[in-house]
Amino acid sequence: MSEDIQRIPTDLEVCEIQTIDEEKVNRLRPRMMETEGVAPLFKALADDTRAKIIYALALEGELCVCDVAATINSSIPNTSHHLRLLKNMGLARYRKNGKLVYYSLDDDHVRHLIMCGIEHAAELKQSKP
């Protein structure tokens, strides 16, 4: 058997033959660079603590670090660490007011992402027997 023939396991949900639609591939391939920066964004959202923080900020608009920590049942240093990471990733911003630091989401895209995720998770829960 030739070495350039790919053996594809038939027990997986994959095509049983290999064929490529050149038109689709040529149309889509250049657009794949548009995904740059998306994986780190979702990696940040994949952490349960950060997801809770983003959700709290999406619901309330702006919260001080102490309120975020109390809301998510976490320590202030741990919460501050996660908020700083979100700020550095461009997902959150902060402002100081005297001795207090307030955080909010950087823009409505972040709010939309977390709200869609919450809605999708709720639908998944409802559809499971």
Side-chain angles (χ1 to χ4, degrees), residues 15-27:
C15 298
E16 292 184 29
I17 62 168
Q18 184 175 356
T19 181
I20 296 172
D21 185 329
E22 294 288 334
E23 183 182 328
K24 288 180 183 177
V25 170
N26 290 335
R27 184 176 62 243

Side-chain angles (χ1 to χ4, degrees), residues 72-89:
I72 66 169
N73 292 318
S74 185
S75 69
I76 291 174
N78 186 48
T79 301
S80 181
H81 166 77
H82 286 287
L83 284 164
R84 193 175 315 110
L85 190 143
L86 291 170
K87 179 186 74 71
N88 291 341
M89 293 190 73

Side-chain angles (χ1 to χ4, degrees), residues 48-54 56 66-75 78-79 82:
D48 191 49
T49 299
R50 290 190 292 272
K52 287 177 182 178
I53 291 170
I54 292 170
C66 300
D67 288 340
V68 174
T71 299
I72 66 169
N73 292 318
S74 185
S75 69
N78 186 48
T79 301
H82 286 287

Side-chain angles (χ1 to χ4, degrees), residues 28-43:
L28 291 171
R29 188 173 280 154
R31 303 222 34 208
M32 294 303 102
M33 292 188 322
E34 295 172 21
T35 66
E36 268 186 43
V38 173
L41 166 68
F42 284 105
K43 186 175 179 181

Side-chain angles (χ1 to χ4, degrees), residues 1-127:
M1 210 175 211
S2 173
E3 297 221 12
D4 59 349
I5 296 177
Q6 294 183 352
R7 290 181 176 244
I8 300 174
T10 57
D11 61 331
L12 299 176
E13 295 176 352
V14 296
C15 298
E16 292 184 29
I17 62 168
Q18 184 175 356
T19 181
I20 296 172
D21 185 329
E22 294 288 334
E23 183 182 328
K24 288 180 183 177
V25 170
N26 290 335
R27 184 176 62 243
L28 291 171
R29 188 173 280 154
R31 303 222 34 208
M32 294 303 102
M33 292 188 322
E34 295 172 21
T35 66
E36 268 186 43
V38 173
L41 166 68
F42 284 105
K43 186 175 179 181
L45 292 170
D47 180 87
D48 191 49
T49 299
R50 290 190 292 272
K52 287 177 182 178
I53 291 170
I54 292 170
Y55 187 49
L57 294 175
L59 293 173
E60 195 60 32
E62 183 181 71
L63 290 166
C64 79
V65 176
C66 300
D67 288 340
V68 174
T71 299
I72 66 169
N73 292 318
S74 185
S75 69
I76 291 174
N78 186 48
T79 301
S80 181
H81 166 77
H82 286 287
L83 284 164
R84 193 175 315 110
L85 190 143
L86 291 170
K87 179 186 74 71
N88 291 341
M89 293 190 73
L91 301 179
R93 62 177 173 241
Y94 77 98
R95 69 176 181 87
K96 285 190 90 167
N97 185 8
K99 295 183 178 186
L100 298 175
V101 176
Y102 290 88
Y103 276 86
S104 59
L105 297 179
D106 190 56
D107 62 37
D108 206 42
H109 293 108
V110 181
R111 182 187 171 287
H112 181 70
L113 281 171
I114 195 69
M115 298 309 274
C116 284
I118 296 291
E119 183 179 331
H120 184 69
E123 288 174 6
L124 288 175
K125 287 178 191 174
Q126 289 177 353
S127 69

